[in-house]
């Protein structure tokens, strides 16, 4: 079931259901892509129709961030819970490992994808890391060609939003991958260059606050979180759930 949160059509799935769906996509013919919008995405998509189209055109739209969950609740159409991109990524790696499948990592600063790949291979020895590329390239086609030649099943695209989502929608089918996921800063986490919040913070739904303490320069971006809640409350009060309500 889809739940509209300020113009973005989220899938109402538990984390486990999202993984089952992801595994099904991995086993299906053709190209599929997954997006993990947070409140920043929702606000950006209000101003960018192409971004909104690309998000709503994804095969899986997972709520990454407590702000999305609260907004859906305020709108009177609750989702089933947060599905953090990094957790979806871990689950998909386990699925790929079970299948002995092929993984390509695209994004982050030079060297990060390689380090992330080495850590992933140590944890999931049955999957094949078929290639990596950093996220600071100017020409798309050579990167697409490299990915295609590597024949991945699963492709992580970590270029930051909205570039990663637009990139997947435009070039994904050419890569030959079965499933691509746009995962923001996840390669930095897999590489160990950025730490995820400790579990206690995650359980309190305070992961965003931990990130803010670690990276105070994110304050401007994070100020958008309450704005989304205000918009959701306004939309509810005026009886609509659309972004223009
Ligand atoms: N990035 C990239 N190419 C760019 C800009 C960013 O590969 O042109 C990477 C950046 O190095 C980081 C990720 O994209 O690894 C985005 O991280 P951010 O913290 O913005 O994403 P979030 O986790 O907040 O979605």
């Amino acid at each position: 079931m889809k739940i509209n949160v300020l113009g973005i059509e989220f899938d109402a799935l538990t984390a486990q259901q999202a993984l089952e769906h992801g595994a099904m996509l991995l086993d299906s013919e053709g190209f599929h892509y997954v997006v993990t919008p947070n409140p920043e995405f929702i606000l950006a998509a209000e101003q960018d129709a192409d971004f909104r189209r690309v998000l709503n055109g994804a095969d899986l739209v997972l709520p990454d961030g407590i702000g999305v969950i609260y907004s859906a609740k305020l709108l009177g159409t609750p989702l089933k819970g947060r599905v953090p991109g990094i957790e979806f990524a871990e689950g998909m790696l386990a699925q790929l490992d079970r299948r002995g499948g092929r993984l390509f990592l695209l994004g982050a600063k030079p060297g990060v994808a390689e380090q992330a790949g080495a850590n992933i291979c140590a944890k999931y020895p049955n999957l094949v890391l078929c290639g990596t590329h950093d996220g600071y390239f100017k020409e798309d086609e050579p990167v697409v060609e490299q990915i295609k030649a590597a024949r991945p099943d699963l492709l992580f695209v970590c270029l930051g939003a909205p570039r990663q989502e637009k990139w997947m929608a435009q070039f994904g089918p050419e890569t030959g991958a079965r499933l691509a996921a746009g995962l923001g800063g996840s390669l930095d986490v897999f590489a160990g260059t950025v730490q995820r919040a400790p579990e206690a913070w995650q359980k309190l739904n305070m992961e965003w606050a931990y990130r803010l303490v670690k990276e105070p320069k994110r304050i401007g971006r994070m100020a958008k979180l309450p704005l989304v809640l205000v918009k959701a409350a306004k939309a509810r009060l005026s009886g609509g759930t659309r972004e223009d309500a």
Side-chain angles (χ1 to χ4, degrees):
M1 190 177 62
K2 290 280 188 180
I3 302 263
N4 187 309
V5 180
L6 302 168
I8 305 302
E9 301 275 347
F10 285 89
D11 285 291
L13 298 172
T14 63
Q16 183 55 35
Q17 289 167 336
L19 277 178
E20 284 163 14
H21 198 94
M24 190 265 286
L25 294 174
L26 194 56
D27 293 334
S28 309
E29 287 296 326
F31 173 73
H32 310 89
Y33 70 98
V34 182
V35 296
T36 60
N38 61 28
E40 261 188 278
F41 287 46
I42 294 177
L43 293 177
E46 277 186 347
Q47 313 294 327
D48 181 344
D50 189 43
F51 188 30
R52 195 162 63 235
R53 179 188 62 79
V54 161
L55 289 175
N56 287 335
D59 296 275
L60 260 181
V61 184
L62 304 175
D64 184 359
I66 195 63
V68 180
I69 300 302
Y70 287 157
S71 298
K73 220 183 247 179
L74 277 169
L75 287 163
T77 49
L79 286 157
K80 290 195 178 169
R82 214 157 67 91
V83 186
I86 186 82
E87 285 175 23
F88 179 78
E90 278 280 359
M92 288 313 299
L93 290 174
Q95 294 283 354
L96 194 70
D97 192 53
R98 239 170 269 155
R99 290 162 173 74
R102 299 167 72 81
L103 172 70
F104 195 104
L105 302 176
L106 173 64
K109 295 197 176 124
V112 173
E114 286 89 334
Q115 185 57 54
N119 294 350
I120 287 169
C121 288
K123 191 165 173 192
Y124 302 101
N126 205 33
L127 64 73
V128 179
L129 180 70
C130 63
T132 60
H133 197 291
D134 70 74
Y136 293 82
F137 53 91
K138 293 227 162 54
E139 287 186 33
D140 297 302
E141 282 306 331
V143 177
V144 173
E145 284 307 316
Q146 188 187 325
I147 299 172
K148 196 171 165 187
R151 294 184 296 107
D153 299 299
L154 180 62
L155 168 65
F156 287 175
V157 183
C158 303
L159 308 170
R163 186 174 167 214
Q164 62 198 10
E165 288 75 21
K166 291 182 179 179
W167 202 93
M168 286 192 293
Q170 184 175 356
F171 299 107
E174 275 182 67
T175 64
R178 288 268 174 92
L179 184 64
L183 295 166
S186 297
L187 292 184
D188 299 292
V189 176
F190 283 120
T193 50
V194 170
Q195 258 77 45
R196 232 193 131 183
E199 216 165 301
W201 289 65
Q202 293 177 29
K203 287 212 173 103
L204 288 171
N205 286 324
M206 293 290 280
E207 199 160 0
W208 59 273
Y210 181 85
R211 231 173 150 187
L212 185 58
V213 173
K214 290 280 170 185
E215 297 172 71
K217 65 176 189 306
R218 297 181 82 92
I219 187 78
R221 290 171 61 171
M222 285 191 174
K224 290 175 179 166
L225 198 145
L227 186 57
V228 165
L229 299 183
V230 170
K231 280 180 180 257
K234 267 186 163 167
R236 177 71 184 278
L237 291 171
S238 61
T241 62
R242 312 275 328 165
E243 79 274 22
D244 53 0

